Amino acid sequence: MDPLTIGMLSVGAIVVLVYLGLYIPVALGLVSFVSIWLMSGKSILAFNFLKVAVGDGVTEYNFATIPLFTLMGLLVSRARLGRDIYDVMNSAFRKVLAGIGMATVGANAVFAAITGSSIASASVFTKISVPEMLRYNYNKRFAVGVVAGSSVLGMIIPPSAMLIIYSFVAEQSVGDMFLAGIIPGLILTGVYVAAIYVMARVWPSYVGEDISADELPAMPGAEMFRKTWPVASLILLVLGGIYTGWLTPVEAGAAGASLALIVAIARRSITWPDFWKTLVETGHITAAILLLITMASFYSRMLGYAGLPNQLDALLQAWDMSFFQIMLIYVALMLVLGTLLDTASIILIVVPLFITLIESMGLSLVWFGIVTVIGAEIGLLTPPLGISCFVIKSTLNDPSISLKDVFLGALPFAFLMLLVLILLIRFPILSTAIL
């Protein structure tokens, strides 16, 4: 077989192995190694490719953003800032119809800006928000759907682990990816809030027909300030430092982790054993992501050696396809893969295939990263492998709420994400305006 055929078969083999449950980095590394060996006929060349991929992954300075932002997010969770954010948002939206649902979206958006994790957001707000909404007679499907839908903001609003992973795969600046995620994240947050209000007016049976717009007590100003300043300080330090250029992404991660530790100590919410467990968990997460990035680099080099990205570029150009037709194929591919793969897997598999084509069209790889992450994130809300939905179901201690309820509740928010994705494809400036 020629290298192109081997390259195409290798992509299919990776997808099949991941579907069968093989650990993603192992599937990427194994298939890439065998493919290079078959194409070259020399095992030593495959070992050399692997050596270069491992060396690049380990020695990349910007990789330090991953453990630092991971540590910051874990410390923020230890400090129980999620509860404070939710209380403040509830007070702010207390006089608005379906205000608790809007408060959940707002709290998730703010929590995303200091943790960067959809899974953490889903876990935290399932415990906090769902019981509160059920207590005020919200529909159970709407309650879990709001949490599921807004949890994906953690992967769009910076600092985001998926934006970091994409930046390594596409060799883009982590700081640029963070800045590019701000406007799309705010747009999606605004769309969710507006949609909840419209649903409460037009489709009250779905939201909850007996909900009240003014039942929650107002929060005193002093208490609101006490609960707001740690979160505001973290956001200002991390994103403000990156945006103004005072801090690099690595420095911002270190500063944010330090401030999060100070807040956790000041609130007496962390002990030395807790801190040690947090450090160990940070190490586990960092090691897993490093292996992912290393094997993704190996996979990209294999594709380049096979010439598959260039051949795909030539094929689509020969078909004389328009920009929107190409993006339709790309988004459709991500949506299909999203039904069975997690976000990181989708990014690692499809980005190396399309990145040469996007570059040849003169399009921004930063914009392409935002489109990729949002497209892949829709998979967190769709069956059969909607990870956020599974996290919510496993976190809930309520047998009356089934996994089907969670998926059906999340469906309108997945549709809204798709509309925002189309908007970002139509107007790329929305992702690159503040770069």
Side-chain angles (χ1 to χ4, degrees):
M1 291 187 290
D2 61 281
L4 180 61
T5 303
I6 294 175
M8 294 176 63
L9 291 175
S10 67
V11 174
I14 289 172
V15 174
V16 170
L17 289 175
V18 173
Y19 279 0
L20 292 176
L22 189 64
Y23 188 42
I24 301 162
V26 174
L28 288 170
L30 179 63
V31 173
S32 298
F33 186 90
V34 172
S35 298
I36 293 174
W37 191 350
L38 291 175
M39 285 185 283
S40 65
K42 300 176 182 178
S43 62
I44 189 62
L45 185 61
F47 278 112
N48 287 336
F49 269 85
L50 178 59
K51 181 178 69 174
V52 173
V54 172
D56 287 352
V58 172
T59 59
E60 179 66 45
Y61 170 74
N62 283 330
F63 180 80
T65 54
I66 293 177
L68 291 171
F69 280 114
T70 299
L71 177 60
M72 184 181 75
L74 294 174
L75 289 172
V76 163
S77 296
R78 292 280 186 186
R80 296 188 293 274
L81 293 184
R83 175 82 246 187
D84 289 352
I85 298 168
Y86 180 72
D87 290 342
V88 171
M89 287 293 176
N90 254 351
S91 180
F93 286 97
R94 72 185 187 280
K95 293 187 177 182
V96 183
L97 184 64
I100 302 179
M102 297 179 189
T104 302
V105 174
N108 256 305
V110 176
F111 195 68
I114 51 177
T115 60
S117 171
S118 293
I119 305 305
S121 295
S123 177
V124 168
F125 289 101
T126 297
K127 298 174 185 175
I128 297 173
S129 181
V130 173
E132 186 83 353
M133 283 191 275
L134 294 180
R135 188 160 66 92
Y136 283 95
N137 300 317
Y138 281 74
N139 185 307
K140 63 182 181 180
R141 286 186 178 177
F142 174 80
V144 293
V146 169
V147 174
S150 56
S151 70
V152 301
L153 295 171
M155 291 303 184
I156 302 167
I157 297 176
S160 160
M162 291 303 108
L163 291 179
I164 294 175
I165 289 176
Y166 173 84
S167 70
F168 281 98
V169 175
E171 298 182 354
Q172 296 300 298
S173 164
V174 175
D176 286 349
M177 292 306 307
F178 281 0
L179 293 177
I182 294 175
I183 293 179
L186 293 176
I187 290 173
L188 186 58
T189 302
V191 168
Y192 278 172
V193 170
I196 289 172
Y197 182 79
V198 171
M199 283 190 286
R201 289 290 185 188
V202 178
W203 193 10
S205 61
Y206 177 72
V207 178
E209 295 186 12
D210 298 325
I211 61 175
S212 171
D214 190 14
E215 288 189 15
L216 297 172
M219 181 181 293
E223 184 180 359
M224 184 174 289
F225 176 78
R226 180 180 64 81
K227 292 188 173 186
T228 301
W229 78 261
V231 176
S233 299
L234 276 166
I235 294 174
L236 183 64
L237 177 63
V238 175
L239 298 185
I242 294 174
Y243 184 73
T244 59
W246 292 345
L247 299 173
T248 66
V250 174
E251 293 167 344
S258 300
L259 181 57
L261 178 59
I262 292 171
V263 171
I265 292 174
R267 304 183 73 170
R268 298 181 180 179
S269 58
I270 190 169
T271 62
W272 278 111
D274 290 335
F275 183 54
W276 175 250
K277 289 178 183 177
T278 301
L279 292 177
V280 171
E281 188 174 355
T282 300
H284 289 164
I285 295 172
T286 301
I289 295 177
L290 175 58
L291 184 58
L292 269 173
I293 291 174
T294 300
M295 292 301 103
S297 176
F298 190 24
Y299 167 65
S300 298
R301 285 172 167 79
M302 181 274 293
L303 291 179
Y305 185 69
L308 192 57
N310 290 329
Q311 290 294 328
L312 179 62
D313 181 12
L315 178 63
L316 293 177
Q317 288 186 5
W319 287 349
D320 196 24
M321 301 185 73
S322 67
F323 163 74
F324 288 104
Q325 288 174 323
I326 292 173
M327 293 310 300
L328 179 63
I329 293 174
Y330 184 67
V331 171
L333 178 61
M334 286 194 295
L335 293 179
V336 171
L337 292 176
T339 61
L340 287 171
L341 299 178
D342 62 275
T343 308
S345 303
I346 297 170
I347 292 173
L348 296 177
I349 290 173
V350 302
V351 169
L353 282 172
F354 281 82
I355 197 167
T356 301
L357 174 62
I358 297 300
E359 281 186 304
S360 69
M361 295 172 67
L363 299 171
S364 168
L365 291 182
V366 174
W367 159 82
F368 183 62
I370 299 299
V371 170
T372 298
V373 171
I374 293 180
E377 283 295 293
I378 297 175
L380 290 181
L381 307 179
T382 54
L385 191 64
I387 297 176
S388 284
C389 295
F390 277 98
V391 169
I392 290 170
K393 174 55 183 172
S394 63
T395 305
L396 280 172
N397 188 23
D398 189 344
S400 68
I401 300 178
S402 66
L403 184 60
K404 177 183 177 181
D405 291 326
V406 181
F407 276 120
L408 289 176
L411 192 60
F413 296 93
F415 178 72
L416 292 173
M417 282 190 73
L418 183 59
L419 293 181
V420 171
L421 178 61
I422 294 171
L423 180 67
L424 294 174
I425 292 173
R426 178 64 182 83
F427 300 104
I429 189 64
L430 294 174
S431 301
T432 58
I434 61 176
L435 295 183

